[in-house]
Amino acid sequence: MSLLEKINETRDFLTAQGVQEPEFGLILGSGLGELAEEIENAVVLDYADIPNWGRSTVTGHAGKLVYGDLAGRKVLALQGRFHFYEGNSLDLVTFPVRIMKALGCQGVLVTNAAGGIGFGPGTLMTISDHINFTGRNPLIGENLETFGPRFPDMSNAYSKDYRKTAHQVADKLGIKLDEGVYIGVSGPSYETPAEIRAFKTMGADAVGMSTVPEVIVAAHSGLNVLGISAITNHAAGFQDELNHDEVVAVTERIKEDFKSLVKAVLAEL
Ligand code: HPA
């Protein structure tokens, strides 16, 4: 089956399950999936039951698709995303974004845990722009003309309006919200200190192993994107050592602010 046929099949399946006219897609990163539990009038689907869908294998990623009402908006939330480092193709990693577009979403909120280059653990950061350092591009292969052009512009991949709204909302709530450039790597090894020094020189403020493929596919099809990174650790070389447990622990600490922020932003978009 072609990618387009798969997209259509999955879209039709989800529509039949009651996933109707979502306004926003939510991609919830490591430890941030709890937000989906607040969705009301929810249709909850296990990834395993959705045709053409991937599987989630990382601790802290639940593996459920949740559709319903959040902050007065119709949302389609991914509790646990697919990573390239799990051995997934980029078609699979970005498939949920294709589906969000096919179902008629106007925007996607993409969240992640990231290492801070400059910013410290506990920081919430809107992504102003990214550097694709994965060595791959999810749009390689046949172009889906009905989604977007062969050579899509990436100048405004992260919506200025959405970012402005996010910062206004954060100010109102008294939540500190920074902004910066996210550099996306493949993982799964964390970076070396030399790589982080290089990334700093390149203008990166945060580093992570997700988001970039999804945002490229979103931008291709004209979806508005708000990217939010939860900085969980100082990137390599700025602290003694890195481990996933710390990433989970810091996410745990900042997730209340994160949840309040996302809900309040959704209401205003
Ligand atoms: N590097 C890459 N990905 C990450 C990090 C990091 O330091 N922290 C959380 N995700």
Side-chain angles (χ1 to χ4, degrees), residues 161-182:
D161 287 347
Y162 280 17
R163 279 189 277 146
K164 191 169 158 204
T165 302
H167 285 274
Q168 282 167 349
V169 165
D171 284 349
K172 228 184 276 171
L173 294 177
I175 293 173
K176 186 167 150 37
L177 183 63
D178 282 294
E179 180 157 287
V181 172
Y182 177 94

Side-chain angles (χ1 to χ4, degrees), residues 113-115 185 190-191 207-209 232-236 242 247:
V185 295
Y190 286 117
E191 303 69 40
V207 57
M209 304 174 191
T232 53
N233 55 278
H234 290 288
L242 299 184
V247 170

Side-chain angles (χ1 to χ4, degrees), residues 183-195:
I183 186 163
V185 295
S186 74
S189 53
Y190 286 117
E191 303 69 40
T192 63
E195 286 165 348

Side-chain angles (χ1 to χ4, degrees), residues 11-72:
R11 180 202 56 203
D12 293 346
F13 170 85
L14 292 174
T15 305
Q17 299 292 315
V19 178
Q20 315 246 329
E21 301 182 5
E23 297 168 88
F24 295 99
L26 293 183
I27 300 179
L28 301 170
S30 300
L32 303 171
E34 239 184 58
L35 182 60
E37 284 157 28
E38 297 186 29
I39 294 174
E40 294 169 344
N41 308 313
V43 174
V44 183
L45 297 163
D46 276 335
Y47 286 175
D49 297 330
I50 307 171
N52 309 314
W53 211 256
R55 304 279 177 274
S56 190
T57 65
V58 189
T59 322
H61 297 253
K64 285 189 189 339
L65 186 68
V66 186
Y67 164 79
D69 303 311
L70 187 66

